[in-house]
Amino acid sequence: MKKFINDPQQFVPEMLKGIALANPATLVYVPKYNLIHRIDSPRDDKVTIIQGSGSGHEPAHVMTVGKGMLDAACPGDIFAAPPMDYVYETTKLLASPKGVLLLVNNYTGDRMAFDMAQEMSEADGVKVKTLFINDDVSVEDSTYTVGRRGVAGNFFVMKAVGAAAETGADLDELVRIGEKVNSVTRTMGIALTACTPPSKGSPLFELADDEIEIGVGIHGEPGRRRAKWMPANEIIDELLGAVVPDLPFASGDRVALMINGLGGTPTSELYILYGIAHEKLAAQGITVGRSYVGEYCTSLDMAGASLTLVRLDDEIERLLEAPAEVAVRIF
Amino acid sequence: MKKFINDPQQFVPEMLKGIALANPATLVYVPKYNLIHRIDSPRDDKVTIIQGSGSGHEPAHVMTVGKGMLDAACPGDIFAAPPMDYVYETTKLLASPKGVLLLVNNYTGDRMAFDMAQEMSEADGVKVKTLFINDDVSVEDSTYTVGRRGVAGNFFVMKAVGAAAETGADLDELVRIGEKVNSVTRTMGIALTACTPPSKGSPLFELADDEIEIGVGIHGEPGRRRAKWMPANEIIDELLGAVVPDLPFASGDRVALMINGLGGTPTSELYILYGIAHEKLAAQGITVGRSYVGEYCTSLDMAGASLTLVRLDDEIERLLEAPAEVAVRIF
C-alpha cells in the first residue's frame, strides 16, 4: 500500500486537522468528537444541519460544511459509523432553538448511532429530526444495509435543505424538502478497481484486470453483477438502464445529472461519461437542466464513478442554484 | 487498462464535448481546433488570455476557462503539444484589439508551437506576447524540456493575469504581473504510481510496490531520485526541503500553499499533506496566507501530489482573491 499517510489510526484526525488549518476563517475542528463545524454555528435563527458517516467518502461530509450546506459533520473512522456519543455531543454543542436536522445515509450502523443520539438529545429538550437518504438503486438490502443504500445523491439533499435553512425555514419544512429531494433522486455506481482502506493495507475486494463491478457500494459492497470491462458508451447504458426506469424518469422531465468520481478516477474520464450521458438522456427526451461533474462522495482511492439523476421542479432548482461556500474548491 | 473511454483516439474530443455540454451558458467548443473558449470572448476592452498544453492535466487548462481566468484553452492530444496551426487559429479567432497573452508551460514542443503561432499572428497584425512558466524546482533540463518544467504553479500565473485582465490591464502590464508571479512560485511533486496513457494502455514507467519517484514531472518524467515509500511527514520534509531553499522562502514570508493531486490520489490524503506542510512552514516562521487543496494540474490517473509555494505581497494576494468562475466545481 502506497498512500500519503503517517499512522493509519491517525488518518482521520490528521485529515480533519488539515481541513481546519486550510479554512481558519470559516471552520472549527473539535478533536474530542471528530467534529468539524461552521465558525458561526449554532445560530438562534437557523435550524442546525448535521451529517455524519464513516470517513473515506470525502468531500462527503467534512468538506461540505459551510454556508448554505452543513453546519457540522461528525465522521467516524474509515467506513465506520461515528460513535453514538460523538453524534450526541455534536448535537448538544450545536443545538439551536429552531432545532437540529440530522442527515444520515441509510446504513445500519449509522442509523443506530443517530437514532440513539436523537433520543438522548430529545431527553435533553433539544428538538431533533432525522432524515435518511437512500438513493442507490443497485440493490435492496446489502452488506451493511436494510433497504437501499445512501450514496452520492445525498449531496442534493444536503444542498437543498442547506439552502432552505439559510432562509429561515423551520424544522418540519426542512424535513419536507429533504424527503422530497430524496424521493426524486436515483444513483448507481460502477467500480473499475477496489479501494484500499489504510488500516487493512490491501484492496477490500478482488477485481480482475478485465473486470468491473456494476452497482458497487461506496464501501466496496457488491452490486448487481461482475462484468467484463466495457466501453464508456456501454457503461452509461448500464447506468441509465438502471436509474431511469427506477423512478421512472420520463420524456419531458428536466433533471440534474451528476457524474461523481469515486476517488481514483481522473476528471477527464468523468467528463467523457458526462457527455455521453447528457446526449443519451436528450435522445430519450430528458433535458439536463443542471450538471455536476467531479467528486462528491468517494470510496477512498477506488477508480470508478456513479451517475445520479434528480427530477427537477422550480422549488428544487431554486434551492440547488442558491449560493453555498464549502472547503472543497480550486480557488 | 481499465478506464472510462471508448476509442483512445477520441479521448480528448469526447472530454471536450462533455465540458461544453456541462457548461452551455458559459463555454463554446470548436472541434476543428480542439478549442474551448468563453462564450463572451473576445472582448474589445480586455486582453485575451490563452493557454495551451498537452491534455491529461485536467483541470489544466480546458476546465480553467472562464471569467477571471482563461479566455480559451487549446489542448493537444494526451501529453502532446497542441499543433501549431491550432494555436494560430485559436489566436486569430479570439484576437482582441488590446492584444493576446499566450501562457505556456516550459516544454520544448509547446514552446515551438506557440513561438511559431505568435510569429504568424504578428504577421497578421495581432499584438501577441508569450509568457513561459517554469515553477518546477526538481531538475534543470528534462525529457521534454530545456530549463525548468512548468507544472501546477501555472495556476497562480493564470489566476493573477486573469484577474488583472478583467480590470482592463494592458498587455505589458499582464506580462509584468505574470512574470512576477512566476518568479516567486516554486513546486515539486512526488509520484506513488505511474500514469497510464489511454493510447499506450500500460503504465508509462515502472515503479515497484514500495517505491516512489521524488520530483516526478507531470508527463512521468524522472525526478531527482527513486526512494522507498516513506510516511507523509517525511514526504513533506522532502518537498519543503527542495522548494523552500530554492527561492528561498524565509522566516517572515507570507505564502500561498498548494497541495495538488496528480489525478489518482483522494482528497483526504491531500488534506493530510496540507496539514503537515502548514505546520512545518509555521515552525520555520513562514505564514500560510492562502491555501489551495485539490486537483489543479494532474497527470492522468497518477497517484501522487505536488507542493507549491508562492511568496505573497499585497498585489499578488489581491489578484488571487479576486472572483473567478470556471467549469471545475462541486456546485
Side-chain angles (χ1 to χ4, degrees), chain B:
Chain B
M1 175 183 65
K2 288 188 288 187
K3 289 181 184 290
F4 293 118
I5 56 168
N6 291 305
D7 174 2
Q9 299 309 316
Q10 296 302 311
F11 189 96
V12 173
E14 290 194 15
M15 169 184 74
L16 298 177
K17 190 166 79 173
I19 295 169
L21 285 169
N23 297 277
T26 52
L27 298 181
V28 176
Y29 167 40
V30 183
K32 197 170 171 193
Y33 306 119
N34 261 13
L35 165 62
I36 295 273
H37 72 84
R38 282 171 62 174
I39 209 162
D40 59 348
S41 296
R43 274 165 45 194
D44 285 357
D45 61 341
K46 181 186 166 303
V47 173
T48 294
I49 304 175
I50 299 170
Q51 179 138 11
S53 71
S55 291
H57 306 303
E58 294 72 25
H61 302 283
V62 289
M63 299 166 195
T64 55
V65 175
K67 194 174 174 196
M69 289 283 283
L70 302 179
D71 288 276
C74 76
D77 207 343
I78 298 288
F79 293 175
M84 182 273 294
D85 53 321
Y86 285 23
V87 183
Y88 168 62
E89 295 291 346
T90 302
T91 307
K92 194 157 74 177
L93 190 66
L94 292 167
S96 157
K98 291 201 74 167
V100 175
L101 177 64
L102 301 176
L103 299 178
V104 186
N105 288 348
N106 187 40
Y107 297 97
T108 306
D110 294 278
R111 288 192 77 122
M112 199 180 305
F114 280 83
D115 280 345
M116 290 178 65
Q118 175 170 355
E119 267 183 45
M120 291 171 66
S121 300
E122 282 172 340
D124 291 348
V126 180
K127 194 162 64 175
V128 184
K129 300 225 170 181
T130 305
L131 206 150
F132 298 102
I133 300 160
N134 61 348
D135 55 308
D136 188 347
V137 307
S138 172
V139 290
E140 295 294 332
D141 304 340
S142 182
T143 318
Y144 312 111
T145 332
V146 176
R148 287 183 164 187
R149 303 177 295 218
V151 291
N154 73 70
F155 169 82
F156 294 101
V157 176
M158 277 192 280
K159 179 69 189 72
V161 298
E166 293 293 339
T167 66
D170 67 21
L171 188 54
D172 288 337
E173 174 70 352
L174 294 187
V175 170
R176 179 191 69 76
I177 289 168
E179 286 177 345
K180 175 181 164 180
V181 173
N182 184 56
S183 76
V184 295
T185 299
R186 296 291 187 278
T187 300
M188 197 163 88
I190 287 190
L192 302 184
T193 70
C195 57
T196 297
S199 296
K200 185 169 187 288
S202 60
L204 202 51
F205 57 96
E206 293 301 321
L207 207 51
D209 279 351
D210 62 347
E211 270 185 339
I212 63 177
E213 176 79 27
I214 297 178
V216 72
I218 56 172
H219 312 92
E221 307 98 307
R224 294 186 170 188
R225 69 179 209 278
R226 291 275 163 98
K228 293 290 176 194
W229 178 87
M230 58 186 81
N233 283 336
E234 292 172 35
I235 295 267
I236 292 298
D237 286 338
E238 287 280 347
L239 293 173
L240 290 179
V243 167
V244 169
D246 192 86
L247 186 64
F249 297 89
S251 180
D253 280 351
R254 182 172 163 89
V255 299
L257 166 61
M258 171 189 282
I259 299 291
N260 167 60
L262 290 177
T265 290
T267 311
S268 48
E269 296 179 38
L270 301 180
Y271 274 97
I272 289 176
L273 293 177
Y274 177 86
I276 298 166
H278 184 114
E279 293 201 319
K280 284 184 185 278
L281 286 165
Q284 295 183 45
I286 298 171
T287 303
V288 177
R290 297 188 63 79
S291 65
Y292 298 82
V293 188
E295 292 182 348
Y296 294 82
C297 188
T298 61
S299 184
L300 292 166
D301 54 353
M302 184 185 284
S306 64
L307 180 152
T308 300
L309 294 181
V310 184
R311 189 165 62 205
L312 298 173
D313 63 16
D314 289 348
E315 180 183 43
I316 295 176
E317 194 150 6
R318 198 174 58 245
L319 293 167
L320 295 182
E321 271 171 8
E325 289 164 23
V326 297
V328 193
R329 58 181 161 79
I330 71 159
F331 290 98

Side-chain angles (χ1 to χ4, degrees), chain A residues 74 133 329:
Chain A
C74 76
I133 300 160
R329 59 182 159 81

Side-chain angles (χ1 to χ4, degrees), chain A:
Chain A
M1 175 184 65
K2 289 189 288 187
K3 289 181 184 290
F4 293 118
I5 55 167
N6 290 307
D7 173 2
Q9 300 309 316
Q10 296 302 311
F11 188 96
V12 173
E14 290 194 14
M15 170 182 75
L16 297 178
K17 190 165 78 172
I19 295 169
L21 285 170
N23 298 277
T26 51
L27 299 181
V28 175
Y29 168 39
V30 183
K32 197 170 173 192
Y33 306 118
N34 263 12
L35 165 63
I36 294 273
H37 72 84
R38 282 172 63 175
I39 208 163
D40 58 348
S41 296
R43 275 165 43 193
D44 284 356
D45 61 343
K46 182 187 166 302
V47 173
T48 294
I49 304 175
I50 299 170
Q51 179 137 13
S53 70
S55 292
H57 306 304
E58 294 70 26
H61 302 283
V62 289
M63 299 167 195
T64 55
V65 175
K67 194 175 172 194
M69 290 282 286
L70 301 180
D71 288 276
C74 76
D77 207 343
I78 298 287
F79 294 174
M84 180 274 294
D85 52 322
Y86 285 24
V87 182
Y88 168 62
E89 295 291 346
T90 301
T91 307
K92 192 156 74 176
L93 189 66
L94 292 167
S96 156
K98 290 201 72 165
V100 175
L101 177 64
L102 301 176
L103 300 179
V104 186
N105 288 347
N106 186 41
Y107 298 97
T108 306
D110 294 279
R111 287 192 77 121
M112 199 181 304
F114 280 83
D115 280 344
M116 290 178 66
Q118 173 171 355
E119 267 184 46
M120 291 171 65
S121 301
E122 284 171 341
D124 290 348
V126 180
K127 193 162 65 174
V128 184
K129 300 228 169 179
T130 305
L131 205 148
F132 298 102
I133 300 160
N134 61 346
D135 55 309
D136 188 347
V137 306
S138 172
V139 290
E140 295 293 332
D141 303 339
S142 183
T143 319
Y144 313 111
T145 330
V146 177
R148 287 183 164 187
R149 303 176 296 218
V151 290
N154 72 70
F155 169 82
F156 294 101
V157 176
M158 278 192 279
K159 179 71 189 70
V161 298
E166 293 293 340
T167 66
D170 68 21
L171 188 53
D172 288 336
E173 173 71 352
L174 294 186
V175 170
R176 179 191 69 77
I177 289 169
E179 285 176 345
K180 175 179 163 181
V181 173
N182 184 57
S183 76
V184 294
T185 299
R186 295 291 187 278
T187 301
M188 196 164 89
I190 287 191
L192 302 184
T193 70
C195 57
T196 297
S199 296
K200 183 168 188 289
S202 59
L204 202 52
F205 57 96
E206 293 299 321
L207 208 50
D209 279 350
D210 61 347
E211 270 185 340
I212 63 177
E213 176 79 26
I214 297 177
V216 71
I218 57 172
H219 312 93
E221 306 98 310
R224 293 186 171 189
R225 70 179 208 277
R226 290 276 164 99
K228 294 290 176 194
W229 178 87
M230 57 185 79
N233 284 335
E234 292 172 35
I235 295 266
I236 292 298
D237 286 338
E238 287 280 346
L239 293 174
L240 290 179
V243 168
V244 169
D246 193 86
L247 187 60
F249 297 89
S251 181
D253 280 352
R254 181 174 163 90
V255 298
L257 166 61
M258 172 189 281
I259 300 292
N260 167 61
L262 290 177
T265 289
T267 312
S268 48
E269 296 179 38
L270 301 180
Y271 274 98
I272 289 175
L273 293 176
Y274 177 86
I276 299 165
H278 184 113
E279 293 200 319
K280 284 183 185 280
L281 286 166
Q284 295 183 44
I286 298 171
T287 303
V288 177
R290 298 188 61 79
S291 65
Y292 298 80
V293 187
E295 291 181 349
Y296 294 82
C297 187
T298 61
S299 183
L300 291 167
D301 54 353
M302 184 185 285
S306 64
L307 181 151
T308 301
L309 293 182
V310 185
R311 188 164 61 205
L312 298 174
D313 63 16
D314 289 349
E315 179 183 44
I316 295 176
E317 194 151 4
R318 199 174 58 245
L319 294 167
L320 295 183
E321 270 171 9
E325 289 164 23
V326 297
V328 192
R329 59 182 159 81
I330 72 156
F331 288 99

